[in-house]
Amino acid sequence: MQRDLASMAAEEPTTRRVLVAEHPRLLKLKEMFNSKFGSTPKFYVRAPGRVNIIGEHIDYCGYSVLPMAVEQDMLIAVEPVKTHTLQLANTNPLYPSSSLHVFAAELYQTFKEEPIWMLHKLFQRIENDGRRHPQWWGRDFSTSANNIHIDKTKPVWHNYFLCGFKGIQEHFGLSKLTGMNCLVDGNIPPGSGLSSSSALVCCAGLVTLTVLGMSLSKVELAEICAKSERYIGTEGGGMDQSISFLAEEGTAKLIEFSPLRATDVKLPSGAVFVIANSCVEMNKAATSHFNLRVMECRLAAKVLAKHKGLQWDKVLRLEEVQTQLGISLEEMLLVTEDVLHAEPYSREEICKCLGISVEELRTQILSPNTQDELTFKLYQRAKHVYSEAARVLQFKQVCEEAPANAVQLLGELMNQSHRSCRDMYECSCPELDQLVDICRKFGARGSRLTGAGWGGCTVSIVPTDMLPSFLTNVHEAYYRRNSSSLALEKHSLFATKPGGGALVFLEA
């Protein structure tokens, strides 16, 4: 079933009345809120994380993706206040303050060549100290609601809340906003590739909208939150925010862009999708990897457009080249082979291809965080994007046709996706590759990294009757051999099913 833009335009996030006493997590959050602020929340907002089944790093290139919401989410208890102050607090004692975040990053740079188990032990020691001395961790944050400043150099948790808040503020052109007390509770593992940061942006956007008493559709909210996450410096494409708002229980979604629309994709009944966390964290906004890939795709699009006689200076995405040429994805792969070379492009060579100066490249095309890059891999990035876009459509087609060997076919597409992410997009890491191999060894028909990569999670398609043995064997092979991973394993290896989207809870 396709939900086009027209039908979704009037559909707002659900508001549901609940008996808080019957929901242990809500009740605990209410009690913690009362202890923290001395008052009772007026409402609660939840926004789910997501797992991208297939279609990695192609949403910001204009192509469709196929995610589903997971049951893990961000939950915020909210009380509007008469002051113009935002008071934010987090239930998790391990969300660090800015200074500790910088300290952890410096530690990583110092010891990154050491074995991964040693790094885990080091950070586990810091976490244990943090539990004993919570005052070190700076969970609380306060600022004026009318003077929002987001520091791109410090991707700490409260800045993601501020992204969603500021996005709604600027959408309505408001200068004076009411304040609020907010207590955040998340059970999405941070840095896992399950979109904890985007879920917090979406949650904050819906919180702000609800406090203001205004209305927006799910589509409008998704688009605003996708744009507002760029305040933190992440040049994403909108998949994470779209599925967080548009998700429905029981179905994955094909998310298409320009215009934003969602199509139900019925997953095969004979298999389950299992998420496994590599326990290697990666923060998109804290590294240059992600934004460099975005820029390499943009440069590839411009070079391809220039070679084909298109108005290259107006082209931003690889999908635009295909659309303007009016050819298939398979034909675009042939064009990529013909036009681009596998060796990295220097800035000077790109300038020669486009007929511009290095200064024009730096100031007019490159983003601030990629202006110092000297080389760019255009062929590899374009090849991944066009082949991955084709795999998404093939995956959807197999789900629709539901042949007897559907699970095997879908698994092979997922395996191809991981190989492309690893070899062409270079967004995997040794731990992810090891985890993928283990999952395949113990029965997964397909396994791949999910999310931005460079750490985070894998997603595997596993025949239903093999699930118990699969979970036992992966637990033994990956987690039990690493004591620090074992400590995280409870929330790091689980079967999941498509969950619902963002909504507001009111106490009945």
Side-chain angles (χ1 to χ4, degrees), residues 287-351:
T287 68
S288 62
H289 302 310
F290 184 86
N291 288 329
L292 176 58
R293 295 300 184 277
V294 175
M295 185 51 61
E296 287 174 320
C297 290
R298 185 170 299 173
L299 292 171
K302 289 182 180 294
V303 171
L304 288 169
K306 172 78 171 181
H307 190 273
K308 287 297 182 180
L310 304 177
Q311 197 173 356
W312 68 267
D313 55 324
K314 303 291 186 186
V315 169
L316 294 175
R317 303 181 301 179
L318 286 163
E319 179 272 336
E320 295 169 34
V321 181
Q322 184 202 352
T323 298
Q324 291 183 33
L325 292 178
I327 61 178
S328 68
L329 285 164
E330 291 71 24
E331 289 171 310
M332 275 309 310
L333 282 166
L334 295 176
V335 170
T336 300
E337 295 282 350
D338 181 51
V339 175
L340 302 176
H341 57 67
E343 297 75 24
Y345 284 72
S346 67
R347 291 192 295 187
E348 290 73 18
E349 185 178 4
I350 290 171
C351 291

Side-chain angles (χ1 to χ4, degrees), residues 262-297:
T263 306
D264 292 353
V265 177
K266 182 175 172 55
L267 300 172
S269 57
V272 293
F273 288 89
V274 179
I275 294 170
N277 193 341
S278 70
C279 302
V280 177
E281 289 190 19
M282 198 293 264
N283 187 313
K284 285 188 295 188
T287 68
S288 62
H289 302 310
F290 184 86
N291 288 329
L292 176 58
R293 295 300 184 277
V294 175
M295 185 51 61
E296 287 174 320
C297 290

Side-chain angles (χ1 to χ4, degrees), residues 118-152:
M118 188 179 292
L119 274 174
H120 278 309
K121 273 187 131 17
L122 180 63
F123 279 97
Q124 198 170 36
R125 173 68 183 273
I126 295 170
E127 288 182 2
N128 290 337
D129 287 345
R131 290 184 191 278
R132 287 193 295 269
H133 306 283
Q135 70 273 16
W136 291 359
W137 287 86
R139 286 179 287 164
D140 297 353
F141 177 80
S142 177
T143 189
S144 167
N146 301 316
N147 185 28
I148 299 299
H149 173 69
I150 300 170
D151 187 347
K152 289 185 179 182

Side-chain angles (χ1 to χ4, degrees), residues 86 88 141 143-144 148-151 157-169 200-201 204 228 231:
L86 280 180
L88 308 178
F141 177 80
T143 189
S144 167
I148 299 299
H149 173 69
I150 300 170
D151 187 347
W157 71 269
H158 58 254
N159 278 341
Y160 290 98
F161 184 100
L162 296 181
C163 284
F165 182 90
K166 186 175 179 179
I168 298 297
Q169 180 186 34
L200 182 51
V201 173
S228 66
Y231 296 137

Side-chain angles (χ1 to χ4, degrees), residues 344-359 361-362 366 373-376:
Y345 284 72
S346 67
R347 291 192 295 187
E348 290 73 18
E349 185 178 4
I350 290 171
C351 291
K352 185 177 179 181
C353 290
L354 299 179
I356 60 174
S357 68
V358 172
E359 185 60 23
L361 175 67
R362 286 189 77 254
L366 298 182
E373 297 292 336
L374 300 178
T375 59
F376 304 87

Side-chain angles (χ1 to χ4, degrees), residues 50-61:
R50 62 97 188 97
V51 57
N52 192 24
I53 300 173
I54 196 164
E56 220 58 75
H57 285 283
I58 63 174
D59 57 337
Y60 53 78
C61 295

